[in-house]
Amino acid sequence: MIPVLGAVVAALALSACGSQPPRPGAAALIGPDKITIAAVEARVAEFRTQAAQLPAGQYQEQAGLVGATVSGMVFDQVVAHALDDHGLAVTDSEVGRLRDEQTAAWGGEQGLEQMLLLKHAVPAKEIDSFYREQLGLQKLAAMNGQQLGTADGNKAVHQLLTEASNELKVTVNPRYGSWDPAQAVLDGPSEPWLPQSGAAA
């Protein structure tokens, strides 16, 4: 059975903190670090380039790609901070083993890349980072004697990520939306700052 790791990410809440607006050029501020607008644009462009290579009709871009990209980039740093806070780490060998397992399960590298692109909006260059994040979430759950994907496991991880988010004072640029703590989603932007066309036809 292929482990379903990414699905729980959307169910884990991040509490937005901090009232200071992001600095110019910032898509989000996470503690002392900044996710730049240029980095978001590059990630979105990378996704669209890969999606455009899929067979016709396999993918049609939906609204929300840009916001989901910002959300994922913030989430990755919050997970990393939570792991560091508790002395946990994911090794390169652990990432490699999981990637090898998933590659075999999906019939090769191309199958893996297409699955992650379509199911989780993960471009090929970010696959290792995606698996590192998923393994990190598993370790946060295991730290509390729980399993990720269960009600108790998700609750335990949610609490740890909320604490990490509070410590980092996560702030998202309003052009990309705002954190909705109750729904654990990034509300949509008020303007289409990045073009929504250009993906696979």
Side-chain angles (χ1 to χ4, degrees):
M1 178 68 67
I2 300 169
V4 181
L5 304 177
V8 298
V9 172
L12 298 172
L14 289 177
S15 297
C17 299
S19 58
Q20 295 298 318
R23 296 188 295 271
L29 298 178
I30 307 98
D33 298 322
K34 175 173 72 171
I35 295 175
T36 66
I37 292 173
V40 173
E41 292 174 339
R43 179 75 63 87
V44 171
E46 182 182 357
F47 174 90
R48 288 175 174 156
T49 296
Q50 189 176 341
Q53 298 171 3
L54 295 172
Q58 189 169 357
Y59 173 76
Q60 180 63 49
E61 183 174 322
Q62 304 295 316
L65 172 61
V66 176
T69 299
V70 175
S71 179
M73 294 173 78
V74 172
F75 190 85
D76 183 67
Q77 293 200 33
V78 172
V79 172
H81 185 79
L83 289 169
D84 187 62
D85 265 358
H86 296 280
L88 301 173
V90 177
T91 67
D92 291 343
S93 61
E94 289 173 323
V95 173
R97 282 196 299 271
L98 178 56
R99 180 164 182 164
D100 288 345
E101 292 171 3
Q102 292 278 276
T103 299
W106 286 95
E109 191 70 20
Q110 183 177 4
L112 176 70
E113 289 180 3
Q114 290 187 4
M115 180 276 293
L116 290 176
L117 189 78
L118 293 170
K119 287 192 172 184
H120 303 292
V122 177
K125 292 181 181 178
E126 302 301 327
I127 290 177
D128 283 353
S129 294
F130 174 78
Y131 283 137
R132 187 177 302 277
E133 176 186 280
Q134 302 308 300
L135 289 167
L137 292 170
Q138 288 186 335
K139 290 193 175 192
L140 290 173
M143 184 183 73
N144 289 281
Q146 303 295 335
Q147 183 175 353
L148 193 66
T150 65
D152 288 343
N154 288 356
K155 182 179 179 180
V157 173
H158 166 233
Q159 180 60 39
L160 294 173
L161 295 181
T162 298
E163 291 172 0
S165 183
N166 288 339
E167 291 175 6
L168 290 170
K169 296 180 170 58
V170 176
T171 306
V172 175
N173 191 314
R175 70 174 58 181
Y176 294 108
S178 60
W179 286 112
D180 180 346
Q183 298 298 321
V185 296
L186 186 67
D187 289 334
S190 57
E191 297 183 53
W193 290 88
L194 297 180
Q196 294 299 310
S197 61

